[in-house]
Amino acid sequence: MFNRLLKRLQPPPLEDPALNIQARNTFAILFAAFVLTTLYLFYTFWFPPYWQIAVAVIALGAEIGLWFLLQKGQVVLTGTILTILLWLAIVIEVSLYGGVRDTGFAAFVIVIVIASLTMGVRGSIVFAVLTILAGAGMVIAEMNGALPPRVEVQAYAALLSHVITIGAVVALLSLAIRS
C-alpha cells in the first residue's frame, strides 16, 4: 500500500532522461524533507518554544506546494526553490545559534549535495560559493557583535548533530550513485 502511494505521488515521466533522473532525485529529497518536517511538527507539540509549530506548518505548506510544482513537470524550478529554501533555513538557524562555530554549519554540505542532485554540478558550485560567502559574512558579523552569543551545547548534542549530518550525506550520496 505504501509503495502504491509513493508511485502515485511520483512526478510524471518526462521526455528527457536526464530530467527524469533529476525529477526522481528531487522527489526523493522532497519526500524525505516532508517526513522529517512532519516528525519535527510532532516534536514541537511537546517541546517549547511553541513558535516552532508555525515554522513546521509553513515548511509543510512549502513542501506541498513544491510537490504540486514537481507534478506539473517544473523539475528544475522545483529543485532550485527547494535547495534555496533549505539553504536559507540553515543560514537562519546557524546565524541564531553560533555562526560558523555552530555544529549546524556542517549541514551546508547537505545542501551542496542536494544542489548537485537537483540542479547539477553548476548548482553545487553556486551553493558552495554562497556558503563560503555566508560563512565569511557570519564571521564578520560575529566580530562586530551583530550575531547573538554562541549557544554552548553539550558534547552529546554536538555528536548527534554531526551524526545526523553524516547520515544525510550518506543517504544523498547513495541516491546519487543509484541515479
Side-chain angles (χ1 to χ4, degrees):
M1 180 168 160
F2 182 71
N3 286 336
R4 279 191 294 176
L5 175 66
L6 277 180
K7 282 189 180 198
R8 185 173 280 243
L9 294 175
Q10 289 283 335
L14 303 165
E15 305 257 337
D16 184 5
L19 210 52
N20 269 330
I21 292 170
Q22 226 173 345
R24 282 196 316 267
N25 290 342
T26 303
F27 174 76
I29 294 164
L30 194 55
F31 183 74
F34 184 82
V35 169
L36 291 173
T37 306
T38 303
L39 292 173
Y40 178 72
L41 178 63
F42 289 123
Y43 166 84
T44 61
F45 287 120
W46 285 281
F47 298 102
Y50 294 112
W51 58 265
Q52 295 179 55
I53 294 172
V55 171
V57 169
I58 291 168
L60 285 172
E63 291 162 2
I64 291 170
L66 288 172
W67 177 78
F68 280 116
L69 197 58
L70 187 61
Q71 290 299 314
K72 298 291 183 196
Q74 299 294 322
V75 177
V76 175
L77 180 62
T78 303
T80 303
I81 292 172
L82 174 63
T83 308
I84 289 170
L85 291 176
L86 290 172
W87 189 83
L88 288 173
I90 294 172
V91 166
I92 292 167
E93 187 273 332
V94 169
S95 296
L96 294 175
Y97 294 105
V100 295
R101 291 183 281 174
D102 181 50
T103 58
F105 195 83
F108 281 116
V109 173
I110 296 169
V111 174
I112 293 167
V113 174
I114 288 173
S116 69
L117 288 170
T118 60
M119 296 186 298
V121 174
R122 289 185 183 146
S124 65
I125 292 170
V126 166
F127 279 93
V129 169
L130 285 174
T131 299
I132 292 167
L133 292 175
M138 285 180 212
V139 167
I140 292 168
E142 183 180 339
M143 290 169 53
N144 292 326
L147 286 182
R150 182 172 180 249
V151 177
E152 293 297 324
V153 297
Q154 299 292 329
Y156 68 87
L159 178 63
L160 178 62
S161 175
H162 292 306
V163 166
I164 291 169
T165 301
I166 291 167
V169 169
V170 167
L172 290 168
L173 290 175
S174 70
L175 177 66
I177 289 168
R178 282 186 296 175
S179 293

